[in-house]
Amino acid sequence: MTDVLIVGAGPTGLTLACDLARRGIAVRIVDKSPAYPRSSRAKGPNPRSLEVLADLGVADEVLAAGSAPLPMRKYRDGLPVADTDPYAGLAPTPDAPYDRGRLIPQWRLEEILRDRLAASGVRVELDAEAVAITDTDGGGDGCVGVGFAAGPPVRARYVVGCDGAHSSVRKLLGIAFEGESDAALAMVCGDVALTDGVLARDRWHQWFDEDGAVMLCPIPGTPSGWWFQAGPERDREGRPLAPSQEGFRRLLTRHTGIPGGHLTDATLLSTYRVNVRMADRYRAGRVLLAGDAAHVHPIAGGLGMNTGIQDAFNLGWKLAQVLSGRAAPELLDTYEEERLPVAAWTLDITSESLRTTLAAIREPGGGLDSAITPETAGLGVGYRWSSLAAAPDPGPGAVPGGPCSGDRAPDAPCLDAATGAPTSLFRTFAGPRFTVLGFGPGSARALRETAAAYGGGDTVRTCRVYGADEAPGDGAAGVIDDRGHARAAYGTGGADTVVVIRPDNHVGIVAPADAVRPVREYLGRLHRADGAVGMVDAVGQG
């Protein structure tokens, strides 16, 4: 028996597995493919997903293996008509260290995540197709049974379906996947090799004509690899033909004027059709859905893989809290409560982005840059509507401005109070714990009582944020807000403030430092101090 069985070893399943494994949760991850699954479609993490990957400890490797998004060169009738850089003028800010996503092939991102998972002692189990699910509510032993096409069944306390748009887990549960498909909007995709020097590798090349399109983007980390996307060839009845190397060569010649012989290889071929669908629920007892198993939408804006990664980051800490006995199973209801509305928003915004892009490419100079908006960075996604954001009202004197409960927690560059070395709030948050920030001397009591209740900082850590004019003292723990970026990011002004940060780096509660009780009660709802006693009982009522 295992604590969590993850079905599907794409970016969503791997993110969840990495998060659970570092929390000490017994996890297994399986995939029906006989070899590690490879996909060409997703082009990389957006800024919010980079923050997630940084928390998991792999962002530096992702940055090294990928490249920054490239300027886009648009062509009409075979001739270049416009160069556009949708990220021109952007730069990291103190509260957001990533101003743009990263281009990296999905299969390379998966390799990095698999290596991170292996470092925790967990490896993907291949050739394991789920064909049956029993006891979704736990049966007599509190476990779900999963049967496979080959090999012995597995029993797990929880099962998570991360197995894509055609999810076997979702189908076995009988969960509706409602929405619509547009067969007329189809695209063929693949990884191709081109003769060196045929195209400059410092651009994403996009040919849009009245009768079709070809897009070629260089694949980072390869000498001659390119992502190939195009409108499909069609038969006499107008039905799209299956992608093939010869078909790609014909499309290349037709739309770009480049002789097809310069396309020397084509792999990972697939046909993409626009689907806008969402599961009507994310949970059936002890079985949950994440990523494309729960929602699919147009690729405009690149939010598909990213939404799945962020599903996993929302779910991981909640599963760990429940499995460790620190929270009641009802905490898992907040996964659907928080992420299903995000999926609905994503379906809306990507559908609108697709409409905008289709209109843009009708005119010379229009291209995929029309789909890139501030929303596609993912930094504005929060959960203000969640019951986890409905913390007790701290009353008069509450701190105005800054992030609200449920919002993404902002970063800020700081100095380590003990060593004076540069650090950041994100480095403080990193890892599988809650974080309680204390701004100003008045926060000392809340930090002290939190540390006493949860001891050692293994599950809840405290961090004093000293002002530039404060003297932390020798060996003091915490950070020095030497340039005032932390206070600015959290809107504290000059007020002494306490902020609870959830393990998925969203704000739990912001309260004046003397409003100790709301902070205790918020932590008590989500984390029992000893597995049975809530925070408010553990430290008293002062």
Side-chain angles (χ1 to χ4, degrees):
M1 198 227 359
T2 190
D3 286 335
V4 180
L5 174 68
I6 299 170
V7 180
T12 300
L14 289 167
T15 298
L16 180 59
C18 288
D19 195 24
L20 291 172
R22 69 175 178 164
R23 298 175 188 278
I25 301 300
V27 59
R28 292 175 65 178
I29 179 168
V30 302
D31 199 278
K32 68 180 181 180
S33 299
Y36 289 131
R38 290 174 70 91
S39 174
S40 172
R41 213 166 279 164
K43 288 185 174 61
N46 66 9
R48 176 56 184 153
S49 290
L50 284 172
E51 293 179 356
V52 172
L53 296 170
D55 195 278
L56 294 177
V58 298
D60 287 346
E61 192 170 356
V62 170
L63 293 174
S67 74
L70 299 174
M72 300 178 183
R73 176 163 293 171
K74 277 71 71 73
Y75 300 77
R76 200 73 167 193
D77 298 324
L79 299 175
V81 294
D83 278 12
T84 305
D85 184 354
Y87 300 98
L90 293 182
T93 58
D95 65 335
Y98 305 107
D99 63 320
R100 63 198 69 194
R102 200 71 174 169
L103 288 177
I104 182 172
Q106 182 172 323
W107 50 265
R108 181 68 184 104
L109 176 61
E110 290 172 359
E111 287 178 346
I112 292 170
L113 288 169
R114 283 199 302 270
D115 288 345
R116 175 66 181 87
L117 185 59
S120 298
V122 180
R123 296 187 181 276
V124 175
E125 301 171 43
L126 298 171
D127 206 13
E129 181 181 3
V131 295
I133 297 179
T134 58
D135 299 328
T136 56
D137 289 321
D141 61 355
C143 294
V144 180
V146 179
F148 298 96
V154 172
R155 293 194 71 76
R157 294 171 68 184
Y158 288 92
V159 173
V160 186
C162 303
D163 49 342
H166 301 289
S167 171
S168 297
V169 173
R170 186 189 66 241
K171 293 173 183 176
L172 290 168
L173 295 174
I175 292 178
F177 201 47
E178 307 216 344
E180 58 185 21
S181 301
D182 190 338
L185 292 175
M187 181 170 63
V188 290
C189 312
D191 289 5
V192 304
L194 295 180
T195 304
D196 290 347
V198 168
L199 282 174
R201 291 182 62 86
D202 63 348
R203 293 288 186 273
W204 184 349
H205 303 270
Q206 302 169 14
W207 292 264
F208 295 106
D209 297 317
E210 295 294 333
D211 60 345
V214 165
M215 292 155 278
L216 282 164
C217 181
I219 301 175
T222 68
S224 57
W226 297 77
W227 282 299
F228 183 101
Q229 297 168 288
E233 296 182 299
R234 296 181 181 272
D235 63 18
R236 292 179 180 178
E237 285 73 38
R239 294 171 298 200
L241 298 177
S244 68
Q245 181 167 306
E246 286 306 313
F248 281 12
R249 285 173 170 164
R250 288 189 294 269
L251 288 166
L252 182 70
T253 302
R254 177 178 179 181
H255 293 290
T256 75
I258 297 172
H262 285 296
L263 193 155
T264 59
D265 192 23
T267 59
L268 305 182
L269 307 185
S270 64
T271 298
Y272 169 79
R273 292 176 176 83
V274 172
N275 284 285
V276 182
R277 297 184 181 276
M278 187 170 70
D280 61 3
R281 54 196 171 110
Y282 281 19
R283 183 183 180 194
R286 289 175 176 263
V287 186
L288 303 104
L289 302 175
D292 286 356
H295 44 74
V296 293
H297 41 77
I299 61 174
L303 290 176
M305 179 187 73
N306 289 289
T307 305
I309 287 173
Q310 292 153 39
D311 282 349
F313 203 51
N314 182 284
L315 178 58
W317 71 272
K318 296 173 181 178
L319 277 169
Q321 289 297 99
V322 171
L323 285 162
S324 65
R326 299 189 185 103
E330 287 73 23
L331 178 61
L332 295 177
D333 292 336
T334 67
Y335 167 61
E336 176 181 305
E337 178 189 3
E338 293 184 340
R339 293 304 296 175
L340 191 149
V342 171
W345 172 84
T346 303
L347 264 62
D348 288 342
I349 194 172
T350 54
S351 295
E352 179 58 33
S353 292
L354 177 62
R355 287 190 288 269
T356 300
T357 300
L358 291 175
I361 64 177
R362 294 191 184 102
E363 300 297 329
L368 302 185
D369 52 298
S370 60
I372 298 174
T373 66
E375 288 81 5
T376 59
L379 300 177
V381 174
Y383 314 116
R384 292 189 183 186
W385 61 83
S386 168
S387 59
L388 297 185
D393 183 356
V399 180
C404 296
S405 182
D407 289 352
R408 165 191 167 272
D411 193 15
C414 306
L415 301 177
D416 185 279
T419 67
T423 186
S424 69
L425 290 185
F426 275 4
R427 290 181 186 173
T428 301
F429 301 160
R433 293 169 287 185
F434 290 81
T435 303
V436 182
L437 298 177
F439 293 85
S443 67
R445 178 189 172 196
L447 297 181
R448 184 173 60 251
E449 292 186 354
T450 299
Y454 294 101
D458 289 340
T459 55
V460 179
R461 87 196 82 187
T462 59
C463 177
R464 175 77 157 80
V465 182
Y466 295 93
D469 57 348
E470 295 184 76
D474 293 340
V479 297
I480 301 172
D481 185 21
D482 60 316
R483 289 173 284 175
H485 290 309
R487 281 193 175 274
Y490 286 84
T492 65
D496 291 358
T497 308
V498 176
V499 184
V500 177
I501 308 298
R502 297 173 10 170
D504 59 353
N505 293 2
H506 282 262
V507 174
I509 186 173
V510 181
D514 58 359
V516 178
R517 183 186 179 105
V519 175
R520 293 174 180 161
E521 291 179 343
Y522 187 83
L523 282 170
R525 292 173 61 203
L526 299 175
H527 189 294
R528 299 171 187 268
D530 61 1
V533 180
M535 170 71 171
V536 69
D537 299 319
V539 299
Q541 299 284 334

